[in-house]
Amino acid sequence: MDIISLILWPIKWVIELILVAFHSLWTFIGMDPDGGVTWVLSIVGLVIVVRAALIPIFVRQIKSQRRMLEVAPQLKKIQDKYKGKKDQYSREAMSRETMELYKKTGTNPLSSCLPLLLQMPIFFGLFSVLNDAQHDKAGVGVFTQELANSFANAEFLGAPLKATFIGEWNLMVAGDVFSLNVMLIALTMIVLMTASQFITQLQIVSKNMSPETKASPMFRQQRILLYLLPLVFAFSGVAFPLGVMFYWLVSNFWTMGQQFVVIRNMPTPGSDAAKAREARLAKKGKLVIEDKAEGTTIVVEETKKTQRQQPMGKSRAKKQGK
């Protein structure tokens, strides 16, 4: 067993347990154990459980990115201070001052990348389990050969979950019998995967970047990813089995929704999303403005509407005047 297989073994074991648990649940309530809908719903349940478990890691990543944004102006001052100086002393001084800044503010440039690195083995494990199942291979734990056979031979809307668009395309070109259902379902899923990925990246680029970030090389990289990542899904999707594509599609929808919630409630300071959030809070009378230089907090409250005074008759007014 190689080192990668050794790392993925416990992850795949847990993933198989969740997948089989959902399959048993749907079977228990009366669904066909060999039906494609049953296995698709099991994949959906698996993705939801795994992505929900990763929410704390995702939140930590967002907070790390926020702290890095807060120290970005101070970091730029250090870089400007030693701009154009290439001697050994200047490079050491810049490195020393940068490390002191990170230590003083409690930030770490690698902390925002660490959560992503922790997620990668889980995603590889998910893909590996589903891909092995598509090829009729038993898992490392509770995913038996019988379940693998059931998964591999299951059909969704008349299309086998193990089928691929490129496989059916090759059959069509060769003049053999091919499945139009597979091609239509695969194309639909590729379009949805590409669109969801594009919308997710577009939310970040158009709403959740500060003016400083938009003026940096990072913004140009994000613009490239905006168009590059959807193309990756479009070209690679034709070779993915339908079962694996269901996983990617559900995961993409989760990411898109999660990104929407984060941009709405935890936007990048200075971004258009942050200004929109401030406007919403100000309208509701809940806007909190912190002045870090003065150490004060100002709460902008909505003016409370006074109750309309009811007109009084002369006799009632005389009584109150007494």
Side-chain angles (χ1 to χ4, degrees):
M1 183 180 290
D2 56 63
I3 184 65
I4 296 178
S5 300
L6 189 62
I7 294 173
L8 292 181
W9 190 90
I11 297 173
K12 291 174 67 173
W13 195 93
V14 174
I15 290 171
E16 289 176 13
L17 180 64
I18 299 172
L19 181 64
V20 172
F22 272 105
H23 181 261
S24 299
L25 173 63
W26 305 133
T27 302
F28 177 76
I29 63 176
M31 298 184 69
D32 180 8
D34 298 323
V37 175
T38 306
W39 281 112
V40 168
L41 289 177
S42 299
I43 294 172
V44 172
L46 169 66
V47 174
I48 291 174
V49 169
V50 172
R51 295 303 300 269
L54 291 174
I55 287 178
I57 297 178
F58 179 77
V59 171
R60 184 177 178 181
Q61 181 181 2
I62 293 297
K63 290 181 178 179
S64 298
Q65 291 173 347
R66 295 291 184 273
R67 285 195 292 267
M68 286 301 301
L69 286 171
E70 290 176 359
V71 302
Q74 302 175 58
L75 188 61
K76 191 175 184 303
K77 288 181 180 179
I78 296 176
Q79 293 172 345
D80 291 341
K81 179 180 177 181
Y82 295 97
K83 186 177 181 180
K85 298 179 181 180
K86 299 182 180 180
D87 57 283
Q88 183 69 20
Y89 175 79
S90 297
R91 288 199 299 267
E92 291 178 356
M94 186 177 72
S95 179
R96 184 171 58 253
E97 290 184 24
T98 301
M99 295 307 296
E100 288 176 356
L101 174 63
Y102 288 150
K103 184 177 181 180
K104 179 182 177 181
T105 56
T107 55
N108 189 329
L110 297 178
S111 59
S112 59
C113 300
L114 182 60
L116 181 61
L117 293 176
L118 292 175
Q119 295 177 48
M120 288 179 65
I122 298 176
F123 292 143
F124 280 131
L126 273 169
F127 180 84
S128 179
V129 168
L130 295 178
N131 193 54
D132 287 348
Q134 296 283 187
H135 293 88
D136 208 1
K137 294 180 182 178
V140 299
V142 295
F143 199 77
T144 63
Q145 186 64 53
E146 181 182 357
L147 289 172
N149 295 339
S150 173
F151 189 97
N153 296 313
E155 294 185 355
F156 180 79
L157 300 179
L161 294 180
K162 64 181 179 181
T164 64
F165 177 88
I166 193 66
E168 300 303 317
W169 176 269
N170 290 336
L171 290 175
M172 183 181 70
V173 172
D176 294 333
V177 179
F178 66 95
S179 174
L180 184 60
N181 280 351
V182 171
M183 299 180 72
L184 291 176
I185 293 174
L187 281 176
T188 302
M189 294 178 67
I190 290 172
V191 170
L192 291 175
M193 288 165 59
T194 304
S196 59
Q197 183 65 43
F198 181 80
I199 292 171
T200 300
Q201 291 296 320
L202 184 62
Q203 287 183 116
I204 299 173
V205 173
S206 63
K207 298 180 180 180
N208 204 38
M209 284 191 172
S210 63
E212 293 81 10
T213 304
K214 289 183 177 181
S216 67
M218 184 187 300
F219 180 70
R220 289 193 292 270
Q221 295 174 4
Q222 289 287 348
R223 294 285 298 184
I224 293 173
L225 289 176
L226 175 64
Y227 300 101
L228 181 61
L229 287 179
L231 289 176
V232 171
F233 279 104
F235 285 104
S236 61
V238 296
F240 283 162
L242 294 184
V244 175
M245 288 176 66
F246 273 114
Y247 154 69
W248 280 111
L249 181 60
V250 176
S251 184
N252 275 10
F253 279 140
W254 178 284
T255 301
M256 184 173 65
Q258 184 173 257
Q259 196 68 55
F260 174 80
V261 172
V262 168
I263 291 175
R264 181 177 174 82
N265 299 298
M266 298 173 60
T268 300
S271 64
D272 293 340
K275 294 176 183 177
R277 182 174 182 270
E278 290 175 1
R280 291 196 304 271
L281 292 176
K283 188 175 181 180
K284 295 179 181 179
K286 298 179 181 180
L287 179 61
V288 177
I289 303 176
E290 295 184 0
D291 190 341
K292 295 183 179 180
E294 299 294 333
T296 59
T297 301
I298 303 172
V299 180
V300 181
E301 295 184 355
E302 184 180 9
T303 305
K304 296 181 179 179
K305 296 180 180 180
T306 55
Q307 187 176 1
R308 181 175 177 270
Q309 186 175 3
Q310 298 294 329
M312 293 186 295
K314 293 182 179 180
S315 58
R316 185 180 175 186
K318 289 180 180 180
K319 289 180 181 181
Q320 289 187 0
K322 291 181 181 180

